[in-house]
Amino acid sequence: MRHLMKPLDFSVEELEQLFDLADDIQKNRAKYAHACDGKILATCFYEPSTRTRLSFESAMLSLGGQVLGFASADSSSAAKGESVADTIRTVSCFADICAMRHPKEGAPMVAASKSRIPVINAGDGGHEHPTQTLTDLLTIRTLKGRLNNFTIGFCGDLKFGRTVHSLVHALMRYDNIRFVFISPEELRIPSYVREELKDQNIPFEEVIDLEAAIGDLDLLYMTRVQRERFFNEEDYVRLKDFYILTKAKMKKARPDMLVLHPLPRVNEISVEVDDDPRAVYFDQVQYGRYVRMALILTLLEIQV
Ligand code: CP
């Protein structure tokens, strides 16, 4: 039995197979409409979500399966003090596969160690968000036609942004990727990620000025400042609008630079940018559904 805790749990070759499967699902929806007949997905979300939870549920329903679960810790027995380990033992009796989001880093890993069904990390604290990375990679592969040979800028909250950590880890395995980390000093990419890049001789730079950096990028990955991970509101208020991507800034970008964002967006991308054909953050949402369908089939070892 396999779980998905982090993007590196799948080899590059396995990811290619997963993305090929997602492509096939997108092109041949009817072929997969009953692939999960009789199967149940549990979504155990201890933290708020729109895209991840609903795309998992939509993915399982589109495969002919059914879904159950909870959307907040308050509506589960976690509110009475039940542990994640006991919860997954219970969920294992009711479902065939589980997607879990938790504010504590490592909680889905604890669940996986006690589970009788595959567990998918749907985001754990400021740590990892592997299925967002699958979404991001499929989007880039589809729209750019490759997962190598580009310069990618990550902009915003690189300290707490789990989608950033997971995507950097995933991209480290592809050839000729250059990273540009754009953040205020307080929200720099964690030192352990910098050390990993240095150890592998992968080029990266850290800058503060988005406008100065944007013209060199093939991809710009914007992120929101993660209010829920701040220790005090004052720091959040000071940093929340540090970056706002506007039409004026987009004029300095290459004509084929793509703007990605895991969403939700707060203020960091002006809505005036949404109509720019380079803004693909709502396309990402659609790819997220297909790649989660492929992931469910892969972890349940269902071949169509
Ligand atoms: N990208 C993402 O994780 O969005 P949600 O928090 O809405 O699930």
Side-chain angles (χ1 to χ4, degrees):
M1 182 177 63
R2 271 184 103 166
H3 308 285
L4 176 66
M5 294 295 118
K6 55 188 189 308
L8 301 190
D9 289 346
F10 281 175
S11 68
V12 169
E13 293 72 28
E14 286 173 324
L15 287 182
E16 283 302 304
Q17 286 168 13
L18 192 80
F19 299 146
D20 288 346
L21 179 56
D23 283 346
D24 195 55
I25 290 169
Q26 184 174 3
K27 287 179 195 136
N28 303 290
R29 292 283 304 281
K31 183 175 147 192
Y32 295 90
H34 295 285
C36 282
D37 277 357
K39 299 289 184 191
I40 297 174
L41 166 78
T43 50
C44 297
F45 277 59
Y46 295 80
E47 238 189 14
S49 168
T50 297
R51 272 147 296 277
T52 310
R53 187 171 63 82
L54 295 185
S55 67
F56 263 117
E57 295 189 358
S58 174
M60 190 47 140
L61 294 170
S62 302
L63 291 166
Q66 293 174 290
V67 297
L68 52 77
F70 52 87
S72 71
D74 286 352
S75 60
S76 79
S77 283
K80 299 178 223 164
E82 185 167 61
S83 68
V84 162
D86 287 359
T87 300
I88 195 67
R89 282 191 182 103
T90 305
V91 170
S92 294
C93 301
F94 303 145
D96 300 286
I97 186 166
C98 173
M100 178 179 285
R101 171 170 289 188
H102 202 287
K104 280 200 186 138
E105 301 184 358
M109 248 171 281
V110 172
S113 72
K114 303 291 180 191
S115 181
R116 289 193 288 111
I117 59 174
V119 176
I120 300 164
N121 178 3
D124 62 326
H127 187 217
E128 298 262 17
H129 192 345
T131 65
Q132 181 63 46
T133 296
L134 300 181
T135 300
D136 301 335
L137 293 176
L138 179 61
T139 305
I140 297 167
R141 190 181 96 139
T142 307
L143 300 180
K144 280 280 182 197
R146 64 183 194 278
L147 285 170
N148 53 16
N149 298 320
F150 55 72
T151 298
I152 179 166
F154 289 88
C155 179
D157 184 350
L158 311 188
K159 178 180 180 184
F160 296 117
R162 58 192 173 198
T163 62
V164 173
H165 308 156
S166 286
L167 184 53
V168 171
H169 280 134
L171 287 174
M172 281 165 71
R173 299 188 294 184
Y174 294 89
D175 289 338
N176 196 23
I177 304 287
R178 189 173 145 256
F179 295 96
V180 181
F181 298 120
I182 308 158
S183 76
E185 178 65 27
E186 296 92 329
L187 299 177
R188 283 175 72 189
I189 192 93
S191 56
Y192 74 88
V193 178
R194 277 180 269 147
E195 290 309 315
E196 287 167 352
L197 290 164
K198 280 182 200 161
D199 287 349
Q200 296 185 43
N201 289 319
I202 297 171
F204 74 93
E205 60 182 299
E206 292 185 276
V207 298
I208 295 176
D209 189 346
L210 170 61
E211 272 186 271
I214 199 167
D216 286 335
L217 306 177
D218 300 300
L219 299 162
L220 172 60
Y221 196 91
M222 294 295 296
T223 63
R224 119 191 119 86
V225 176
Q226 306 261 309
R227 181 182 205 160
E228 63 274 33
R229 318 254 178 253
F230 273 73
F231 292 113
N232 70 68
E233 183 73 5
E234 204 178 294
D235 285 348
Y236 169 72
V237 170
R238 186 167 49 80
L239 293 167
K240 72 184 174 67
D241 292 331
F242 201 93
Y243 297 108
I244 301 177
L245 184 64
T246 57
K247 260 187 175 174
K249 289 187 186 117
M250 286 297 286
K251 284 196 178 129
K252 300 190 173 174
R254 292 178 182 164
D256 61 348
M257 185 199 77
L258 299 182
V259 184
L260 295 103
H261 191 311
L263 304 178
R265 173 245 315 261
V266 184
N267 224 11
E268 59 283 353
I269 302 180
S270 167
V271 291
E272 68 185 18
V273 176
D274 294 358
D275 294 333
D276 189 310
R278 295 170 291 180
V280 297
Y281 26 92
F282 289 108
D283 299 302
Q284 277 170 268
V285 177
Q286 196 55 251
Y287 291 118
R289 177 164 170 245
Y290 296 124
V291 87
R292 287 182 176 98
M293 289 170 79
L295 179 64
I296 289 169
L297 291 175
T298 301
L299 293 181
L300 289 177
E301 299 179 11
I302 293 172
Q303 292 195 340
V304 178

